[in-house]
Amino acid sequence: MSNVMNIGLAGLRAAETRVAARAQNIVNWQSEDYRPLEARQTTDAGGAPRITVSRPPELSGEFPFVDLAAELVDMQLAKHAYVASTKVIKTADEMTKTLLDTFA
């Protein structure tokens, strides 16, 4: 059960990191020299989400370099990932309680 809890907590942290990166991009969207943060989420061998945040080495495209619509959409996706992770944690907690009640 502990592994499931750890995966749920890692999901919460990944969603939080995605929202923080997107929020910083939105706040700085009108800055001409701002290089937007890119948050990429992957999964490790144990199934836990991993997220890396980086900046492109150079600015490309036209000003503004931040796509507000894409940032807001990803924030909504991160919100749903956060809710899903809380459900994983809640389910693992209920399963642990049921297991303990069965053997107690």
Side-chain angles (χ1 to χ4, degrees):
M1 290 300 162
S2 173
N3 192 30
V4 175
M5 288 280 203
N6 289 337
I7 290 171
L9 289 172
L12 292 176
R13 289 187 198 108
E16 177 185 13
T17 302
R18 283 173 61 190
V19 168
R22 299 305 177 194
Q24 187 169 349
N25 287 345
I26 291 170
V27 166
N28 293 296
W29 78 280
Q30 290 184 321
S31 300
E32 289 186 27
D33 294 332
Y34 179 73
R35 291 180 299 154
L37 294 172
E38 295 176 3
R40 294 179 192 239
Q41 188 167 335
T42 58
T43 306
D44 68 9
R50 298 265 182 206
I51 192 153
T52 56
V53 178
S54 62
R55 292 186 192 275
E58 296 179 9
L59 294 172
S60 62
E62 295 181 16
F63 180 80
F65 302 107
V66 176
D67 181 2
L68 287 179
E71 300 295 327
L72 293 172
V73 167
D74 194 61
M75 285 185 86
Q76 288 297 313
L77 292 172
K79 174 184 162 186
H80 290 294
Y82 193 90
V83 170
S85 294
T86 60
K87 289 181 181 180
V88 167
I89 292 169
K90 183 178 179 182
T91 301
D93 184 50
E94 290 171 358
M95 290 171 59
T96 303
K97 182 180 177 197
T98 301
L99 184 64
L100 290 174
D101 288 346
T102 301
F103 289 107

